[in-house]
Amino acid sequence: MNNQQYMDLLHLLKQTDINGCITGSSLWCYDTDISDWDADVDIFVYNNQAFIDAVCQVRFKLGFDFASEGERWKWERQIKRGDTKQWLCTIKLDHPEYPQVNISCKPNQKNVTDVISNFDQTCIMNGYDIRRKVQVDMREMFTGDKYISMLNPLYDQDADAYTVSNWLRQTNRVAKYAMRGIDTTLVARAYIDLIDKVLATGKLFQSEKSSDFFDKTTEEFVPIKEGLQQWLDNIS
């Protein structure tokens, strides 16, 4: 997809009454060529009714359809269940002329600032509230340059195994965003630092369950750290 297709789709979405926000990499299209990024357009809504409404608006007003039969099944199950509960629920929708749209429900977050404040890296902390017509861009807030990313300082960075294991689920984005022209060296170094802190802190709880979790998790940290260090060495 080219930049114009992204901008055309964003324009159409901004004309809807969806109670949610557009976030993420697709918003870079206004100031960067993202034609080869293969980026989706992410929409986060704030409650179950907004989720149902958003999927219906994108399908029936904009002509999108489910990206797969699996997405259709998820949607039908969601309608029957009638509640997104507290977890993240996402439906992917496709259109032959536009990028894929991902609609997610985050019921614990009530506005665009809440949503982007929970992203892992600063380079994607940018969002547009569709109904309120408000843009919130934090990409330059912490590094002074939106092309330099760091771990989100607003997010919990405690050096316990559980918190750090959640952070490390996104390590693939270090190379992914770097290939898009964003400096992610601060992110890679921060991940390594978090791993080192967990290993230095050791086991915080002595129960068998906690001990087993620490041993299993920190064993998985070692190749992740080695991969990040190798990536840093290769780009230096």
Side-chain angles (χ1 to χ4, degrees):
M1 298 289 175
N2 59 48
N3 267 34
Q4 190 59 54
Q5 288 169 297
Y6 280 99
M7 288 189 281
D8 288 347
L9 175 56
L10 293 176
H11 175 75
L12 291 173
L13 289 169
K14 289 177 180 181
Q15 307 311 305
T16 68
D17 189 42
I18 291 173
N19 185 23
C21 57
I22 305 167
T23 69
S25 299
S26 65
L27 292 173
W28 280 86
C29 72
Y30 294 112
D31 46 31
T32 302
D33 184 2
I34 66 170
S35 301
D36 60 352
W37 283 22
D38 192 29
D40 301 328
V41 175
D42 296 321
I43 298 175
F44 290 93
V45 298
Y46 314 127
N47 58 64
N48 187 65
Q49 185 55 51
F51 179 73
I52 294 171
D53 179 66
V55 173
C56 289
Q57 288 201 52
V58 174
R59 285 186 65 207
F60 300 119
K61 288 187 177 181
L62 304 188
F64 280 69
D65 201 358
F66 297 108
S68 67
E69 286 304 308
E71 295 301 315
R72 185 185 302 277
W73 179 87
K74 283 164 55 180
W75 171 248
E76 291 173 351
R77 185 191 65 167
Q78 187 62 39
I79 293 297
K80 291 176 182 177
R81 187 173 63 190
D83 188 1
T84 51
K85 303 295 183 185
Q86 299 302 308
W87 54 79
L88 179 65
C89 179
T90 300
I91 298 293
K92 299 179 182 294
L93 300 168
D94 277 347
H95 190 289
E97 297 178 11
Y98 299 116
Q100 185 175 89
V101 171
N102 301 326
I103 301 176
S104 304
C105 185
K106 303 196 82 171
N108 291 325
Q109 294 162 11
K110 305 305 179 185
N111 54 57
V112 60
T113 303
D114 286 349
V115 172
I116 65 175
S117 294
N118 279 275
F119 288 168
D120 60 319
Q121 290 193 42
T122 57
C123 68
I124 53 171
M125 292 173 66
N126 183 23
Y128 178 86
D129 192 295
I130 300 170
R131 179 173 288 181
R132 296 174 180 84
K133 312 302 181 189
V134 173
Q135 182 90 27
V136 179
D137 189 346
M138 299 183 180
R139 289 176 298 176
E140 297 182 2
M141 183 178 294
F142 305 105
T143 64
D145 186 338
K146 62 190 174 186
Y147 289 95
I148 299 176
S149 192
M150 65 181 291
L151 284 189
N152 178 1
L154 303 177
Y155 204 68
D156 182 7
Q157 296 187 29
D158 287 343
D160 66 88
Y162 179 78
T163 299
V164 174
S165 67
N166 284 334
W167 274 108
L168 296 179
R169 290 183 300 177
Q170 307 290 359
T171 52
N172 65 308
R173 294 183 177 182
V174 170
K176 176 182 177 180
Y177 293 152
M179 292 178 65
R180 294 176 173 180
I182 298 167
D183 184 346
T184 56
T185 54
L186 290 176
V187 179
R189 293 189 181 113
Y191 281 139
I192 292 172
D193 185 52
L194 284 172
I195 292 172
D196 288 341
K197 286 180 179 178
V198 170
L199 297 176
T201 302
K203 297 177 182 179
L204 299 175
F205 307 101
Q206 299 307 313
S207 70
E208 182 179 352
K209 184 177 180 180
S210 295
S211 181
D212 289 346
F213 177 80
F214 180 89
D215 291 339
K216 179 178 183 296
T217 304
T218 53
E219 184 178 343
E220 295 170 351
F221 287 175
V222 174
I224 294 174
K225 177 183 176 180
E226 291 174 349
L228 290 167
Q229 188 59 60
Q230 183 177 12
W231 181 81
L232 285 169
D233 293 341
N234 288 341
I235 65 169
S236 62

